[in-house]
């Protein structure tokens, strides 16, 4: 029997077995489906959080407020120094008048507060844009401290501090998600392994007959490996379908809310879906291999 | 370890040299058993229950390994065959059991054609071989039936067809008529006789005295694991075809 014939045979036998013992098969598929769904949901949420964080990082700026009496030379020198720093993609000078106009435009309800002031309400500033790929939080912190110490610098407003805190929280959530996903996946593999062992036990007489008529171990174990593979594959498909459905339903209902925007912005990508399905199939296969690794299936006695 | 091929004496297909088998619990199933089975021979193996008949058969197709001594099948030391090569030994030795050992969820055709299928025969060849084997046992018309739809005698004939499909050199049977009435036993015996006539070596384990006396063949008698007798029986029907 060539490999193709063998694979067709394994697939057929595995499918028959899945249908015949559909209750235990369903249990295995549901277990792996739920595990992958939870893992996928965690991946989806952390992926969305990462996306939002990246967006914030891309838009994050360091605003250096200057004393009103800072000279043009001082401002030019500082602007040049900052522009040459690694990770800085642009430094824009905003004079006091433009800052005031920005304030009134951005906060029209507060514009009354500054009405009638003789001078502009906000000092001139240098707005520094950073390349999110190049950001090194520790370096940025040291750098802003150095700028803050300059005599004509009034204040430095740095978004990096809270972005760093959010990034730490996201990384922590991702770590917990991965750990939880691995635990759930291990539980699913254990379930599949148990189902395969149970199936092997149910068929042990049949397996003994196969051995006696001269079937090789490859031929005997192949259908069981395929069964685990199919269970995992079906679990992965179930998880992916559920993930997609739940995401769609929640987004339709909660997209207007802040949390809906945060957690449901992006649907699971094709890559993530493929990954979950493949993970299910591999977990199912490994579960089957694991369950039969020392299973002699009524094998002949050991070599002398 | 590669099995070493030893040239067998002329016509010897199965050889036992001082074979003993002791199970892990300490039970001695066989004790210093030696005999040879010439190619094309038809031999009965008998003895009371627990005498070691089934163990002896299992040793031939490497279901068990001897604790002492050597067993050669076609000159090859069975015990030294690597585990991965055991299936190839078993494809030359067919086994028929008292309880038929058919796969209930598979049809007669699927049961019988199992070996050609795993050897890569296409469906038409599987069907042709299965048809031929089933015709030999008179069940060519039951290819699509499931084992549980057949009578005991028919199931045994299917298991014999399965054993014949690969034209085995050796056919061994463990109490093949143990679950059958005398008429069906006669039928099975007749099939065995025909198989033997076509050159297959047969070793049949039985304690059915009628079966032993019916054909007048060589009889190996085991008692408490020892080969107590190796003889041609005195029979009024010696050499008669059933």
């Amino acid at each position: 029997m060539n490999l193709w014939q063998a694979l067709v045979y394994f697939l057929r036998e595995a499918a028959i077995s899945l249908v015949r013992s559909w209750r235990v098969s369903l249990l295995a598929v549901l277990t792996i489906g739920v595990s992958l769904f939870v893992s996928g949901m965690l991946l989806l949420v952390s992926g969305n959080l990462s996306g939002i964080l990246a967006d914030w990082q891309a838009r994050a700026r360091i605003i250096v407020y200057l004393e009103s009496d800072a000279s043009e030379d001082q401002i030019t020198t500082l602007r040049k120094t900052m522009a040459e720093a690694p990770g800085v993609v642009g430094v824009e000078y905003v004079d006091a008048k433009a800052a005031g106009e920005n304030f009134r435009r951005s906060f029209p309800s507060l514009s009354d507060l500054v009405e009638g002031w003789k001078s502009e309400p906000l000092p001139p500033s240098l707005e520094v844009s950073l390349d999110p790929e190049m950001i090194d939080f520790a370096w940025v912190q040291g750098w802003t401290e150095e700028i803050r110490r300059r005599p004509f610098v009034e204040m430095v407003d740095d978004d990096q501090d809270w972005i760093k805190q959010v990034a730490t929280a996201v990384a922590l959530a991702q770590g917990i998600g991965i750990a939880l996903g691995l635990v759930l996946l291990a539980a699913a593999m254990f379930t599949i392994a148990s189902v395969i062992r149970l199936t092997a036990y149910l068929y042990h007489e049949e397996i003994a007959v196969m051995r006696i008529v001269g079937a090789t171990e490859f031929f005997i174990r192949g259908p069981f490996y395929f069964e685990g593979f199919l269970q995992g594959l079906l679990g992965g498909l179930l998880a992916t379908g559920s993930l997609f459905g739940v995401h769609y339903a929640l987004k339709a209902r909660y997209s207007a809310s802040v949390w809906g925007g945060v957690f449901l912005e992006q649907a699971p990508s094709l890559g993530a879906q493929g990954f979950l399905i493949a993970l299910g199939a591999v977990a199912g296969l490994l579960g089957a291999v694991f369950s039969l690794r020392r299973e002699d299936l009524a094998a002949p006695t050991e070599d002398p | 370890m590669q099995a070493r091929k030893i040239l067998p004496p002329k016509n010897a297909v199965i050889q036992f040299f001082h074979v003993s088998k002791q199970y892990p619990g300490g039970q001695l199933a066989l004790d210093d058993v030696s005999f040879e089975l010439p190619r094309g021979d038809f031999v009965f193996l008998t003895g009371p229950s627990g005498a070691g008949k089934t163990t002896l058969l299992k040793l031939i197709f490497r279901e068990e390994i001897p604790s002492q001594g050597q067993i050669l099948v076609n000159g090859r030391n069975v015990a030294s065959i690597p585990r991965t090569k055991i299936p190839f030994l078993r494809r030359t030795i067919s086994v028929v059991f008292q309880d038929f050992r058919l796969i209930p969820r598979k049809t007669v055709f699927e049961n019988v054609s199992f070996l050609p299928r795993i050897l890569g025969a296409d469906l038409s060849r599987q069907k042709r071989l299965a048809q031929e084997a089933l015709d030999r046992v008179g069940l060519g018309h039951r290819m699509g039936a499931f084992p549980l739809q057949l009578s005991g005698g028919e199931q045994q004939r299917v298991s014999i067809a399965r054993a014949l499909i690969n034209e085995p050199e050796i056919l061994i049977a463990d109490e093949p008529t143990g679950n059958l009435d005398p008429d069906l036993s006669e039928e099975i015996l007749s099939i065995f006789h025909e198989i033997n006539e076509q050159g297959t070596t047969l070793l049949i384990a039985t304690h059915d005295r009628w079966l032993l006396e019916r054909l007048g063949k060589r009889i190996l008698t085991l008692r408490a694991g020892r080969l107590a007798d190796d003889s041609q029986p005195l029979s009024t029907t010696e050499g008669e075809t059933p």
Side-chain angles (χ1 to χ4, degrees):
Chain A
M1 180 175 276
N2 62 36
L3 188 62
W4 175 247
Q5 287 173 314
L7 292 178
V8 170
Y9 170 80
F10 294 162
L11 187 61
R12 181 173 168 269
E13 291 296 307
I16 290 170
S17 178
L18 280 180
V19 172
R20 276 169 55 89
S21 20
W22 66 270
R23 286 185 183 85
V24 283
S25 296
L26 185 65
L27 174 71
V29 169
L30 285 176
T31 309
I32 203 155
V34 168
S35 305
L36 289 175
F37 173 76
V38 173
S39 308
M41 209 63 200
L42 290 166
L43 280 175
L44 181 65
V45 169
S46 71
N48 273 316
L49 281 175
S50 296
I52 289 162
L53 187 65
D55 188 44
W56 287 346
Q57 281 177 329
R59 286 191 287 169
R61 291 179 164 213
I62 295 172
I63 302 175
V64 179
Y65 293 102
L66 306 167
E67 299 280 0
S68 306
D69 55 357
S71 72
E72 201 168 313
D73 278 353
Q74 285 174 319
I75 294 169
T76 307
T77 306
L78 179 60
R79 185 175 182 178
K80 194 179 170 199
T81 306
M82 289 195 297
E84 287 169 352
V88 172
V89 290
V91 181
E92 190 188 347
Y93 175 67
V94 180
D95 62 23
K97 190 179 173 193
E101 284 168 5
N102 282 344
F103 177 79
R104 289 184 191 93
R105 194 169 53 245
S106 303
F107 305 102
S109 60
L110 300 177
S111 61
D112 291 350
L113 292 174
V114 294
E115 209 53 52
W117 283 30
K118 288 179 183 169
S119 58
E120 287 297 336
L122 295 173
S125 61
L126 288 168
E127 293 188 6
V128 182
S129 306
L130 299 171
D131 179 357
E133 300 290 320
M134 300 278 287
I135 289 175
D136 175 343
F137 289 113
W139 183 84
V140 169
Q141 200 171 16
W143 189 60
T144 51
E145 281 303 315
E146 187 206 325
I147 291 169
R148 196 173 275 128
R149 283 197 295 270
R150 300 203 177 202
F152 53 91
V153 171
E154 192 174 289
M155 190 175 84
V156 176
D157 187 4
D158 177 11
D159 291 341
Q160 300 303 310
D161 227 21
W162 66 268
I163 287 179
K164 184 186 173 187
Q165 287 174 20
V166 174
T168 306
V170 169
L172 188 66
Q174 282 175 334
I176 292 170
I178 289 170
L180 186 61
L182 286 174
V183 169
L184 289 170
L185 204 61
M189 278 176 63
F190 181 76
T191 305
I192 285 188
S194 302
V195 169
I196 297 291
R197 279 187 76 86
L198 180 64
T199 310
Y201 176 75
L202 289 173
Y203 290 160
H204 75 279
E205 287 183 359
E206 188 171 321
I207 289 164
V209 173
M210 291 166 80
R211 268 214 180 83
I212 284 166
V213 300
T216 56
E217 289 301 306
F218 170 72
F219 203 83
I220 292 168
R221 288 167 191 258
F224 293 107
Y225 292 160
F226 253 66
E227 193 176 336
F229 176 81
L230 284 181
Q231 285 170 346
L233 188 71
L234 290 173
L237 286 169
L238 178 71
T240 308
S242 305
L243 198 59
F244 212 77
V246 167
H247 176 265
Y248 183 80
L250 289 178
K251 192 170 184 181
R253 188 162 180 176
Y254 298 109
S255 60
S257 73
V258 174
W259 290 110
V262 169
F263 293 117
L264 304 167
E265 182 60 27
Q266 290 179 353
S269 67
L270 275 178
Q273 291 175 52
F275 174 73
L276 280 183
I277 294 168
L279 191 62
V282 169
L285 180 63
L286 289 177
V289 171
F290 176 76
S291 72
L292 300 178
R293 77 194 194 287
R294 290 192 308 127
E295 174 58 68
D296 63 6
L297 303 168
T301 46
E302 288 179 6
D303 290 335
Chain B
M1 186 176 74
Q2 185 66 38
R4 193 156 55 91
K5 180 111 179 170
I6 302 166
L7 284 177
K10 192 179 176 187
N11 285 332
V13 65
I14 296 173
Q15 296 166 280
F16 272 55
F17 296 107
H18 305 288
V19 173
S20 296
K21 173 66 185 176
Q22 187 165 24
Y23 285 107
Q27 182 200 353
L28 188 63
L30 286 180
D31 184 9
D32 195 27
V33 172
S34 297
F35 67 90
E36 288 185 359
L37 226 65
R39 193 175 301 279
D41 213 352
F42 189 144
V43 177
F44 284 111
L45 176 66
T46 192
S49 295
K53 302 189 292 297
T54 300
T55 298
L56 189 146
L57 297 185
K58 284 182 173 178
L59 287 166
I60 295 172
F61 61 92
R62 232 333 259 285
E63 181 84 352
E64 299 287 351
I65 52 170
S67 308
Q68 282 179 10
Q70 279 197 331
I71 300 162
L72 306 185
V73 173
N74 280 323
R76 172 162 290 189
N77 185 350
V78 171
S80 67
I81 294 174
R83 193 168 173 147
T84 54
K85 302 288 182 196
I86 294 172
F88 302 99
L89 167 77
R90 291 180 179 172
R91 291 172 195 175
T92 66
I93 304 170
S94 288
V95 190
V96 174
F97 296 93
Q98 180 178 3
D99 56 358
F100 324 132
R101 304 265 177 106
L102 298 175
I103 300 170
R105 69 186 177 101
K106 292 186 185 289
T107 63
V108 166
F109 163 69
E110 289 171 326
N111 268 283
V112 173
S113 63
F114 185 77
L115 187 54
R117 185 158 65 248
I118 65 172
L119 293 177
D122 60 33
L123 189 63
S124 62
R125 182 168 161 74
Q126 289 174 35
K127 282 185 177 167
R128 184 173 61 76
L129 291 171
Q131 188 70 59
E132 284 173 8
L134 286 164
D135 282 344
R136 286 176 75 177
V137 297
L139 284 177
H141 60 294
R142 301 306 304 267
M143 294 253 280
F146 286 90
L148 296 179
Q149 295 172 319
L150 304 176
S151 68
E154 286 175 323
Q155 288 188 55
Q156 191 58 295
R157 283 192 280 160
V158 171
S159 79
I160 293 170
R162 180 181 65 193
L164 296 180
I165 198 162
N166 202 38
E167 302 287 347
E169 290 179 62
I170 303 161
L171 190 148
I172 58 184
D174 192 3
E175 303 283 2
T177 59
N179 283 343
L180 306 178
D181 62 39
D183 287 344
L184 291 174
S185 298
E186 175 96 26
E187 207 173 281
I188 298 299
L189 194 59
S190 169
I191 293 168
F192 282 147
H193 190 265
E194 280 178 35
I195 295 165
N196 180 239
E197 291 285 293
Q198 288 161 11
T200 302
T201 306
L202 268 78
L203 178 59
I204 313 288
T206 183
H207 56 246
D208 184 341
R209 288 198 60 79
W210 174 85
L211 205 64
L212 296 172
E213 291 166 2
R214 188 79 179 89
L215 286 183
K217 300 290 187 183
R218 179 181 168 194
I219 299 173
L220 301 173
T221 305
L222 288 173
R223 281 200 191 90
R226 294 189 69 88
L227 186 60
D229 195 18
D230 180 353
S231 63
Q232 299 285 338
L234 293 173
S235 168
T236 53
T237 55
E238 189 168 346
E240 185 186 323
T241 303

